[in-house]
Amino acid sequence: MRDVVINMQNVTVSYREDVALQNLSIEIKNGEMIGIAGPNGAGKTTILTVVNGLGRLVRGQAKVLGHLMSAGKKGRDFRLCYKTASLRKLIGYVPQGCSVDPGTPISVRDAVMLGRYGRLGFWRRPGRDDWQVVGKLLEMVEISHLAERPFGHLSGGEQQRVAIARALAQEPRIMLLDEPTTYLDWRSRQEILQLIKQVHREKGLTTLMVTHDPKDTFNFCDRVVLLQQGRVAAIGPPAKTLSDAVLRKVYGESTICCQGGFY
Ligand code: ADP
């Protein structure tokens, strides 16, 4: 039996009057690859925030890699909390794509090294071993040839590869990805999803991937969590879970479904 590494019980998170998650309970086992889908505002990103130790729980509790977070403490306290900082060292985070100014003076190699500072501490300079780790990651995500290029000169797909390598540079146990295929064309999307699956397997990670398109979870995720207004509408293996009826219920009756995805 694989260990449960993320256990959320009756988690409620709100931002002032907006309730982002309502009484949500999910268990995720070591090594699972989980897709988190649902319409805009359903609470997908907020789940990642809770796993990362930065969520403001108003009810319930979340245990992540043995670190317990419960209601009653303010988010700001969590951030200052030493235990939460040590949790975040175990978690790699790939944020939603943002465009980088082409003039930003940072090379691809240095951008990946930024991910290493969580382990190094800001007062230590990277040593030869650290540069070797970065070199191997650039190979893994197949951008060694771009190592000296300015990060801002890369295509969207290449920037996503850098973001994945940077998250891996801190040697995480859990990987969180927030809409990693947004803004990518169809081919780049498939390539990035393949890469995410490959690093998930090779690094023995537990992976949570947020996507606005449930189709992204087919062939890639062990289970999908489909959210609707902060609650779990359906959970399970994508092919069994994302029926046309379920997708119409969550995304609206006018949704035209096609093999579990939709257009
Ligand atoms: P999703 O990722 O599914 O689009 P989010 O988790 O980002 O959803 O947001 C869930 C709800 O919480 C939404 O109603 C959103 O407006 C609200 N919300 C998210 N972040 C904040 C914030 N920093 N301040 C106020 N409200 C927020």
Side-chain angles (χ1 to χ4, degrees):
M1 272 274 281
R2 287 189 287 174
D3 295 342
V4 172
V5 286
I6 299 171
N7 188 354
M8 295 191 195
Q9 291 301 326
N10 307 314
V11 164
T12 298
V13 175
S14 67
Y15 302 96
R16 297 202 184 95
E17 67 275 15
D18 284 327
V19 180
L21 296 177
Q22 296 200 51
N23 219 17
L24 190 106
S25 298
I26 309 176
E27 278 189 3
I28 295 171
K29 295 209 171 90
N30 194 26
E32 275 198 289
M33 173 128 183
I34 302 286
I36 303 174
N40 288 338
K44 304 182 292 296
T45 299
T46 303
I47 291 191
L48 301 190
T49 311
V50 171
V51 173
N52 223 350
L54 295 170
R56 182 185 287 216
L57 276 62
V58 281
R59 265 202 303 280
Q61 64 176 41
K63 203 169 187 185
V64 180
L65 296 171
H67 293 70
L68 184 67
M69 293 159 280
S70 51
K73 294 184 185 173
K74 293 224 164 58
R76 200 155 9 133
D77 297 336
F78 284 140
R79 267 171 238 153
L80 294 172
C81 170
Y82 168 78
K83 272 173 80 177
T84 313
S86 70
L87 168 64
R88 284 208 299 286
K89 283 185 193 161
L90 303 172
I91 296 181
Y93 180 56
V94 177
Q96 260 183 50
C98 54
S99 61
V100 174
D101 184 337
T104 308
I106 182 165
S107 72
V108 165
R109 193 188 298 281
D110 289 339
V112 174
M113 180 57 82
L114 286 178
R116 200 85 191 135
Y117 283 98
R119 288 204 162 258
L120 281 171
F122 273 102
W123 52 91
R124 261 188 58 207
R125 288 172 67 83
R128 193 192 301 179
D129 290 352
D130 299 303
W131 288 112
Q132 259 176 12
V133 169
V134 167
K136 287 215 172 94
L137 289 173
L138 290 172
E139 274 172 34
M140 186 177 200
V141 303
E142 297 177 355
I143 49 171
S144 300
H145 59 294
L146 302 173
E148 308 314 326
R149 279 256 184 106
F151 177 63
H153 288 195
L154 304 187
S155 70
E158 290 162 347
Q159 288 192 1
Q160 244 351 321
R161 287 172 188 270
V162 175
I164 291 168
R166 187 182 55 201
L168 290 172
Q170 71 178 60
E171 298 174 26
R173 287 190 53 198
I174 294 178
M175 187 79 149
L176 306 178
L177 302 113
D178 200 349
E179 305 221 1
T181 59
T182 309
Y183 310 124
L184 301 183
D185 65 29
W186 189 80
R187 184 176 167 175
S188 303
R189 270 172 82 153
Q190 299 305 309
E191 287 174 356
I192 290 296
L193 289 170
Q194 287 291 358
L195 177 66
I196 291 166
K197 192 169 178 179
Q198 180 202 335
V199 300
H200 168 82
R201 283 202 186 133
E202 288 181 17
K203 297 283 181 187
L205 298 165
T206 302
T207 301
L208 276 66
M209 178 181 76
V210 164
T211 173
H212 66 271
D213 185 348
K215 274 206 299 293
D216 280 356
T217 65
F218 282 85
N219 305 320
F220 295 104
C221 296
D222 300 312
R223 287 192 296 156
V224 59
V225 179
L226 186 62
L227 291 179
Q228 183 180 26
Q229 295 179 343
R231 297 176 189 271
V232 176
I235 183 167
K240 286 190 184 161
T241 307
L242 300 176
S243 65
D244 288 0
V246 166
L247 289 171
R248 285 208 181 95
K249 192 170 147 238
V250 170
Y251 287 91
E253 283 304 321
S254 57
T255 307
I256 303 165
C257 301
C258 178
Q259 294 179 339
F262 62 94
Y263 294 92

